[in-house]
Amino acid sequence: MANLETTYMGLKLRNPLIAGSCGLTDSITNIKTIADNGIGAIVIKSMFEEQIHIETEKYIKNGQGNVNTSTKTADNLIDKRIYDYDEAYSYIYDYAKNNTLEKYLSLISEAKKSVDVPIIASINCVSNYDWQSFAKRIQDAGADALELNIYILPSDFRRSGDENENVYFEIINEVKKFIKIPFAVKIGYYFSSLAQTVQKLSETGTKGLVLFNRPYNTDIDIEKISLSAGNIYSSDFEYNHTLRWISILSGKTSCDLSASTGVHSYETVIKMLLAGATTVQMASVFYKHGFIVVGDFLARMNDWMNRHHFNSISDFRGKLSKNNLENPAAIERVQFMKLYSGIE
Ligand SMILES: Cc1cc2nc3c(=O)[nH]c(=O)nc-3n(C[C@H](O)[C@H](O)[C@H](O)COP(=O)(O)O)c2cc1C
């Protein structure tokens, strides 16, 4: 048997497969089943920053909690730049009512008691407003680590690239004040200079970067002539973008890289590891094929490693990273010219 063990953010994992944050990592039954199928670690479904704001307001109204935001209400705690229409606010309010912080914290502690793989909590955030102390409660509930899913769509014409990007650093600096457990930052790819920003983010004290969050996709229903939601689940051909960036960034960052989006096969797992990923996250494949794929991927990875005489993950991790290339863009351009100029 090949040794699939690895270390991610300082945590020991029995293998590099991680169940990414999604609706399936929201219940103890599922968490147990994923662990029984052999997963290396589990990221629990995210709490939204907005939920934390709304509960903070509830605490203030009831005179509970130790928050120093006594003059604030949910209206001004929630960023009006982002939610300046009523429908959004009422949706978030109802969502928060049904998904309380206490419920989330007990999910973490229950998960810790139920399985012996690392449990990573997750917060989905868009601003730096007074929610970060909640990270400490996540730590106290027993989470092994925290993943911050920071997703700012740079669609506001009034905000510069620097203004948007600073929010990431402000959030990280604030969260760092509250926790000792390792944390990872999950990001999208809308940055003016992705390589430089990722490198800078990796130097903030974060122990992991998850590349990439898959954004909500917009589509258009041409019969209803209205906007609609695009595919919620990824497809197996969506991994190349992540593969490119893992390969460019591995060896150039000060933290672990976790590959996410479009991982639907053991081959893609191997590719991400060859490119330099420390771990690989999966979500859509579980919706499409169930948790059973974990055992299948592990068996096939083991077989592949044996065929190629690799005893451990570190024997091949990063073998095909672009770390040693001075200018990956130039290489890609030549490949592009070679490949596409021949097609008529
Ligand atoms: C139904 C669903 C719910 C999700 N919920 C979350 C979430 O709460 N927090 C988060 O960080 N990512 C969430 N994601 C994104 C996944 O973690 C992952 O980044 C994305 O789906 C790309 O990976 P995949 O191609 O393996 O699906 C969700 C994905 C799906 C399909």
Side-chain angles (χ1 to χ4, degrees):
M1 278 294 269
N3 179 4
L4 295 178
E5 281 175 13
T6 194
T7 304
Y8 174 54
M9 297 199 272
L11 305 170
K12 260 190 134 172
L13 272 56
R14 58 183 163 174
N15 64 65
L17 303 187
I18 295 182
S21 176
C22 66
L24 296 174
T25 58
D26 199 15
S27 79
I28 293 297
T29 311
N30 280 348
I31 287 170
K32 277 186 186 162
T33 313
I34 308 171
D36 287 346
N37 277 280
I39 205 83
I42 299 167
V43 188
I44 297 185
K45 169 89 183 141
S46 301
M47 275 307 278
F48 286 86
E49 170 194 326
E50 294 83 345
Q51 288 171 257
I52 303 169
H53 288 317
I54 285 168
E55 290 232 358
T56 304
E57 184 203 24
K58 214 168 66 191
Y59 264 51
I60 295 163
K61 275 193 183 147
N62 296 340
Q64 301 166 9
N66 189 15
V67 276
N68 60 1
T69 50
S70 53
T71 57
K72 296 183 177 175
T73 67
D75 272 350
N76 58 24
L77 283 167
I78 291 181
D79 190 341
K80 283 290 179 185
R81 285 179 313 231
I82 303 166
Y83 304 108
D84 51 4
Y85 60 106
D86 289 345
E87 189 195 344
Y89 183 80
S90 67
Y91 175 79
I92 291 163
Y93 203 90
D94 284 346
Y95 186 88
K97 246 184 8 204
N98 296 325
N99 296 272
T100 64
L101 305 188
E102 289 304 333
K103 217 157 118 187
Y104 194 72
L105 296 171
S106 59
L107 179 66
I108 295 170
S109 46
E110 208 44 44
K112 278 301 295 171
K113 281 186 228 147
S114 309
V115 298
D116 59 3
V117 297
I119 293 295
I120 303 170
S122 167
I123 299 178
N124 187 310
C125 44
V126 285
S127 80
N128 191 30
Y129 286 172
D130 284 343
W131 55 264
Q132 291 89 342
S133 62
F134 183 66
K136 166 91 169 54
R137 293 175 68 192
I138 282 179
Q139 172 177 279
D140 295 345
D144 295 290
L146 174 64
E147 191 175 279
L148 298 170
N149 180 345
I150 313 179
Y151 183 59
I152 298 164
L153 186 71
S155 59
D156 188 334
F157 293 93
R158 295 159 294 183
R159 286 166 71 85
S160 70
D162 276 351
E163 277 179 279
N164 283 326
E165 288 173 17
N166 281 340
V167 177
Y168 291 76
F169 294 90
E170 287 165 8
I171 290 174
I172 293 170
N173 282 336
E174 201 56 28
V175 166
K176 269 182 356 192
K177 294 180 191 162
F178 291 95
I179 55 171
K180 293 196 171 64
I181 53 171
F183 64 94
V185 181
K186 182 175 183 179
I187 57 170
Y189 33 77
Y190 293 125
F191 293 96
S192 52
S193 177
L194 185 58
Q196 192 185 73
T197 306
V198 166
Q199 197 170 54
K200 282 190 187 157
L201 285 170
S202 82
E203 289 158 3
T204 55
T206 181
K207 296 281 184 243
L209 278 164
V210 184
L211 310 175
F212 293 101
N213 187 24
R214 184 172 181 269
Y216 164 83
N217 284 318
T218 302
D219 208 343
I220 286 181
D221 184 322
I222 61 166
E223 293 310 322
K224 290 185 185 153
I225 313 194
S226 63
L227 291 175
S228 62
N231 288 333
I232 294 172
Y233 307 119
S234 69
S235 305
D236 57 3
F237 52 80
E238 283 183 49
Y239 70 86
N240 299 84
H241 183 72
T242 297
L243 188 66
R244 163 190 285 139
W245 285 102
I246 293 282
S247 145
I248 290 174
L249 294 164
S250 79
K252 304 270 192 198
T253 57
S254 307
C255 68
D256 294 334
L257 298 179
S258 189
S260 165
T261 294
V263 181
H264 287 248
S265 67
Y266 92 94
E267 288 97 331
T268 306
V269 174
I270 303 268
K271 289 176 193 182
M272 294 297 182
L273 296 171
L274 282 167
T278 304
T279 53
V280 176
Q281 301 202 5
M282 301 175 293
S284 295
V285 71
F286 295 141
Y287 284 93
K288 292 188 175 179
H289 303 293
F291 302 132
I292 193 129
V293 296
V294 176
D296 180 57
F297 287 9
L298 292 172
R300 288 168 191 265
M301 285 166 70
N302 183 63
D303 183 49
W304 178 87
M305 285 170 69
N306 286 338
R307 275 192 284 123
H308 291 272
H309 309 292
F310 295 129
N311 296 318
S312 67
I313 301 282
S314 56
D315 288 350
F316 68 94
R317 174 184 287 128
K319 249 185 184 300
L320 297 181
S321 116
K322 293 182 179 162
N323 187 16
N324 298 324
L325 300 179
E326 199 48 52
N327 187 353
I331 307 285
E332 283 212 12
R333 179 152 178 79
V334 172
Q335 295 306 322
F336 178 84
M337 287 164 75
K338 268 206 239 166
L339 204 63
Y340 286 85
S341 60
I343 297 176
E344 288 177 0

